[in-house]
């Protein structure tokens, strides 16, 4: 027993096993093998390393956005002249998603008082008093009641097309300790005083003309200025940190959101973008307000970024997985060799070695063993003659 255990341990530690290989000289198998290996190599080099950058590790971004809109508008309504500046048409003030007013509607309201309105217009606080003969009810509301069915056409602030929006974006990749701003190399105070964003000439200028933003989002300014709308601005950072840091620069994209004001009338539902706000004041000891309904352009600014840099760990992982995939060529060739080619039985005998244990040999009849012995002797004699 001890000798058997010692022999087993000796065989385990001091012997090496290697798989049996068969060299098959067959043009068809050779071509199939090389084609599969070439496809695997193309996948590893082209897709894993070049396209997916499998030799690099990735890091996400943390960013902040500040905006500033500039421009002055002038209106004359019923003989009343008014100047509109940033404090009048930007809501809320200087945030990452400003709403620019292009169609303000002013309505001075008196103090709240009791009014009688039609029963079909009861969107006010009811007092419980109604007159069936006249079809009216008493409500408590600001006087006069707002009438918002008529939208001025053309819009009052068409001059807002020439307003400018300055976007300041700061971004950091904590994993690589990299800090960047959209005020990249070459953008200084002198340049900012004269540049306006242009896809071809000034693609890194952070100052945008409102009319250009609307156009790049595939909207017509005259239409969106009348009923309002929402535009998404995407600032995209795709940085390869194996290159000099100056090549880490933003790209700007513009997308029209929600429904377009150019849709068919039958398809329109809650088109555009609008909201109301009020300015309160005291006059003769009585509280009054000016109600303003704004049809504006809402700008939603989104920042997305990803940085990549060489890392030995993902590189070795990609190489290891690629080497493993090369085994596909062997599997494919074995399937063709053992199941498709005409001489598949011959190749099976070459590839696999069949053995019979002593117990299985003793189970054969003696006549079968003698016949097998004669065949072996005959074959040996023929080979020797």
């Amino acid at each position: 027993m001890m000798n058997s255990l010692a022999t087993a341990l000796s065989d385990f530690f001091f012997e090496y096993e290697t798989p049996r290989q068969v060299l098959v000289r067959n043009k068809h198998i050779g071509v199939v093998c090389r084609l599969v290996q070439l496809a695997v190599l193309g996948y590893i080099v082209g897709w894993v390393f070049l396209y997916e950058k499998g030799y690099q590790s990735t890091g996400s971004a943390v960013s902040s956005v500040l905006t500033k809109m500039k421009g002055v508008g002038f209106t004359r309504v019923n003989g009343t002249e008014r100047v509109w500046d940033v404090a009048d048409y930007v809501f809320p003030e200087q945030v990452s998603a400003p709403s620019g007013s292009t169609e303000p509607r002013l309505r001075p309201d008196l103090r709240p008082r009791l009014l009688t309105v039609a029963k079909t217009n009861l969107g006010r606080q009811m007092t419980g008093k109604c007159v069936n003969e006249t079809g009216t009810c008493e409500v408590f509301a600001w006087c006069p009641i707002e009438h918002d069915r008529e939208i001025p056409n053309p819009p009052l602030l068409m001059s807002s097309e020439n307003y400018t929006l300055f976007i300041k974006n700061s971004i950091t990749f904590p994993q690589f300790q990299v800090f960047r701003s959209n005020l990249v190399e070459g953008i200084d105070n002198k340049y900012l005083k004269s540049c306006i964003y242009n896809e071809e000439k000034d693609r890194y200028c952070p100052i945008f003309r409102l009319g250009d933003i609307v156009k790049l989002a595939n909207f017509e300014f005259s239409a969106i200025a009348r009923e309002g709308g929402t535009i998404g601005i995407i600032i995209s950072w795709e940085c390869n940190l194996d290159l000099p840091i100056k090549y880490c620069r933003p790209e700007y994209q513009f997308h029209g959101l929600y429904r377009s004001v150019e849709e068919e009338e039958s398809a329109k539902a809650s088109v555009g973008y609008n909201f109301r706000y009020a300015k309160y004041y005291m006059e003769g000891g009585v509280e009054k307000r000016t109600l303003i309904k704004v049809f504006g352009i809402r700008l939603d600014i989104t920042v997305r970024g990803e940085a990549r840099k060489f890392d030995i760990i993902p590189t070795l992982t990609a190489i290891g997985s690629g080497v493993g995939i090369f085994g596909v060529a062997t599997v494919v060739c074995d399937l063709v060799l053992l199941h498709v080619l005409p001489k598949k039985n011959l190749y099976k005998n070459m590839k696999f070695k069949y053995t019979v244990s002593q117990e299985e040999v003793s189970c054969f009849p003696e006549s079968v063993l003698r016949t097998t012995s004669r065949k072996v002797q005959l074959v040996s004699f023929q080979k020797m003659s």
Side-chain angles (χ1 to χ4, degrees):
M1 180 68 179
M2 295 299 297
N3 293 334
S4 300
L5 180 61
T7 302
L9 291 175
S10 176
D11 293 342
F12 177 78
F13 283 104
F14 302 111
E15 290 183 355
Y16 169 72
E17 297 178 355
T18 182
R20 181 182 182 184
Q21 295 183 346
V22 177
L23 179 61
V24 179
R25 296 186 179 277
N26 186 295
K27 294 181 180 180
H28 301 290
I29 292 297
V31 171
V32 170
C33 180
R34 297 300 173 253
L35 288 178
V36 174
Q37 290 177 342
L38 185 61
V40 172
L41 182 63
Y43 165 77
I44 296 172
V45 176
W47 179 266
V48 176
F49 281 93
L50 297 182
Y51 185 78
E52 292 290 337
K53 303 294 189 298
Y55 58 91
Q56 295 176 321
S57 60
T58 61
S60 57
V62 179
S63 71
S64 65
V65 176
L66 297 175
T67 62
K68 183 182 295 184
M69 184 170 284
K70 291 185 177 181
V72 178
F74 173 80
T75 60
R76 180 186 287 112
V77 180
N78 298 327
T80 302
E81 297 179 346
R82 178 166 179 173
V83 175
W84 299 79
D85 59 16
V86 175
D88 297 313
Y89 59 73
V90 175
F91 311 91
E93 296 79 3
Q94 308 302 328
V95 295
S96 61
S99 300
S101 169
T102 59
E103 182 62 272
R105 297 183 60 204
L106 281 68
R107 183 180 184 85
D109 285 357
L110 304 180
R111 62 179 178 176
R113 56 181 295 183
L114 295 176
L115 302 172
T116 55
V117 297
K119 288 186 178 181
T120 57
N121 186 15
L122 302 181
R124 305 294 189 274
Q125 178 63 40
M126 299 286 295
T127 64
K129 298 180 180 180
C130 292
V131 180
N132 293 329
E133 290 77 7
T134 60
T136 60
C137 293
E138 189 178 73
V139 297
F140 186 75
W142 289 91
C143 178
I145 295 177
E146 178 189 1
H147 179 69
D148 63 348
R149 295 183 180 179
E150 296 181 2
I151 302 175
N153 192 17
L156 296 180
L157 291 181
M158 279 298 294
S159 60
S160 60
E161 185 176 9
N162 295 316
Y163 294 174
T164 58
L165 175 68
F166 171 64
I167 300 177
K168 185 177 181 180
N169 173 218
S170 300
I171 191 169
T172 178
F173 298 99
Q175 181 175 342
F176 305 112
Q177 296 297 309
V178 173
F179 304 89
R180 291 290 285 169
S181 168
N182 65 332
L183 305 180
V184 296
E185 293 79 5
I187 297 181
D188 51 19
N189 290 331
K190 181 179 179 181
Y191 177 76
L192 290 176
K193 291 179 179 179
S194 59
C195 80
I196 293 292
Y197 175 83
N198 183 281
E199 285 185 300
E200 298 179 358
K201 298 179 181 179
D202 292 295
R203 57 187 304 185
Y204 299 115
C205 177
I207 299 178
F208 305 83
R209 181 174 168 270
L210 187 58
D212 294 337
I213 294 177
V214 173
K215 183 178 180 180
L216 291 170
N218 296 321
F219 276 120
E220 290 292 336
F221 190 85
S222 59
I224 197 174
R226 183 171 182 267
E227 296 187 349
T230 304
I231 295 176
I233 301 177
I234 297 179
I235 306 176
S236 179
W237 295 80
E238 298 292 337
C239 298
N240 185 353
L241 300 183
D242 292 331
L243 302 176
I245 193 63
K246 66 179 182 179
Y247 295 109
C248 180
R249 298 192 169 201
E251 297 290 338
Y252 301 95
Q253 302 175 15
F254 307 88
H255 304 277
L257 306 179
Y258 302 126
R259 291 181 178 269
S260 170
V261 294
E262 297 297 333
E263 290 184 3
E264 297 292 336
E265 288 291 336
S266 59
K268 288 186 176 182
S270 186
V271 178
Y273 170 73
N274 64 80
F275 60 93
R276 295 172 178 83
Y277 73 101
K279 293 184 177 180
Y280 298 87
Y281 60 95
M282 298 296 294
E283 185 178 284
V286 178
E287 183 184 23
K288 298 183 179 182
R289 75 173 185 179
T290 298
L291 178 65
I292 303 176
K293 183 176 182 181
V294 176
F295 295 84
I297 302 175
R298 178 180 174 87
L299 302 176
D300 290 337
I301 302 175
T302 304
V303 181
R304 62 187 185 189
E306 184 180 70
R308 295 177 174 272
K309 193 173 184 180
F310 174 78
D311 193 337
I312 189 63
I313 301 301
T315 301
L316 294 178
T317 302
I319 293 175
S321 61
V323 172
I325 296 176
F326 267 103
V328 174
T330 302
V331 175
V332 173
C333 291
D334 282 350
L335 290 175
V336 175
L337 189 72
L338 303 177
H339 301 283
V340 178
L341 294 183
K343 298 181 179 180
K344 55 186 179 182
N345 294 328
L346 175 61
Y347 293 131
K348 285 182 180 179
N349 292 331
M350 292 181 179
K351 183 175 178 61
F352 302 107
K353 181 179 180 180
Y354 299 95
T355 59
V356 180
S357 63
Q358 184 65 32
E359 291 79 3
E360 292 175 340
V361 172
S362 61
C363 294
F364 284 101
E366 184 177 354
S367 59
V368 174
L369 293 178
R370 287 198 301 268
T371 304
T372 305
S373 177
R374 292 194 191 98
K375 288 184 178 179
V376 172
Q377 293 176 2
L378 180 61
V379 170
S380 300
F381 175 76
Q382 290 176 348
K383 289 184 176 180
M384 293 175 59
S385 60

